Structures are given as C-alpha cells and as structure tokens.
Amino acid sequence: MNIQDIKPADGAKTSTKRIGRGIGSGMGKTSTRGHKGQWARSGGGVRPNFEGGQMPMTRRLPKVGFNNKRFAHVYNAINVDVLNRYNDGDVVDIDKLVADGIIRKTENYGLKIMGDGNLEKKLVIKADKFTASAIQKIEKAGGTAEVL
C-alpha cells in the first residue's frame, strides 16, 4: 500500500450540490427555495429568537440575580493545609507565597486564609482576612494569625 492509494471510505466525502445552475441540474429555477414568500427572497427570513410574533422566551422569563463584579472584593484565597510545607516558626505572608509559587498574582484585596484541611505546623501567618475556622486551626497548631 502506498500513500497515493489511500482514499476515504465510500460515502465519507460528498460533493456539494450546485444549486441554481439550470434546469438540467434538477435544482434550477427556484433553487430549492420553493415559490415566493419570505424564505424565497434574498435576505429573507427572521431574526434568530423570533417566535412568529409570540412574546419571545427572553422577554417572557423574569430577570433574576445580579452580580456586581465591579465592586467585588477579590482575595487570593488559600486553605490552611497548603501551609504545611513550611517549617515551624516561619512567618508566612503573601510575598512568601508568591516567591514559593503558591500564588501567581496578587489580587487587590490581598490574602485570605480559609479553614479547609488541617495545619500541623506552628506558623505566624500574616493575611488581610481569615475565616473563623482558619483562625481556630492556626491557634490549635500553636501558631498566630495576624490581620494586616
């Protein structure tokens, strides 16, 4: 078998119908559009969500919810179990986390420590915000949580 002998399976490739190319093609005259009417005209048809004059779905359904991202307080959030990689007595802040590659870019509102997982190291953690469970786990491990 050579490369020039390879061909697609029968029926896998079909040639496009050449519409409107004379009466002999079987698709001349009206070019498969039927007779007259909106759909037969050039540029005819309706817009995508048009439902024949019925009130469209987008206007029938109520508008709910609002997420004002412009004023959102975005933090770099990490869980306490991520901090187990540090040694006892280390001071952990956002600059150290960026330097160690745990955080890629700093957000406007700084660092938030969440309480998922367990902390086994005695650390001094400096952050802009802590959850209640995070403070509890840090103090249980013998560390301190300092709010900046």
Side-chain angles (χ1 to χ4, degrees):
M1 176 179 264
N2 294 320
I3 191 83
Q4 66 266 21
D5 297 332
I6 297 173
K7 63 180 183 133
D10 291 333
K13 305 267 286 176
T14 57
S15 58
T16 57
K17 284 184 177 180
R18 298 195 65 226
I19 294 170
R21 295 298 181 270
I23 201 155
S25 68
M27 282 162 252
K29 195 180 176 234
T30 55
S31 305
T32 73
R33 287 174 172 259
H35 291 280
K36 298 186 181 175
Q38 186 173 22
W39 298 98
R41 311 286 189 218
S42 165
V46 293
R47 63 184 179 276
N49 70 336
F50 186 67
E51 297 181 22
Q54 173 175 297
M55 185 64 70
M57 177 82 66
T58 52
R59 291 184 60 198
R60 279 199 308 266
L61 297 176
K63 312 307 188 258
V64 292
F66 177 67
N67 187 2
N68 199 347
K69 294 178 183 176
R70 181 176 176 189
F71 298 105
H73 292 210
V74 181
Y75 293 90
N76 287 104
I78 62 162
N79 287 308
V80 289
D81 61 350
V82 174
L83 303 174
N84 283 322
R85 66 170 58 195
Y86 295 106
N87 299 323
D88 283 336
D90 281 356
V91 177
V92 179
D93 60 355
I94 195 161
D95 297 326
K96 188 168 182 71
L97 294 170
V98 170
D100 294 341
I102 296 171
I103 294 173
R104 288 191 181 160
K105 86 170 199 176
T106 58
E107 295 292 348
N108 293 342
Y109 282 84
L111 179 64
K112 182 175 181 177
I113 306 296
M114 314 284 263
D116 194 27
N118 291 315
L119 182 66
E120 291 110 29
K121 304 288 175 80
K122 183 179 178 180
L123 302 171
V124 177
I125 302 167
K126 296 180 179 182
D128 297 283
K129 201 165 188 179
F130 292 89
T131 61
S133 60
I135 292 172
Q136 182 184 3
K137 289 178 183 182
I138 292 165
E139 290 174 351
K140 183 180 174 187
T144 58
E146 295 181 18
V147 178
L148 299 175

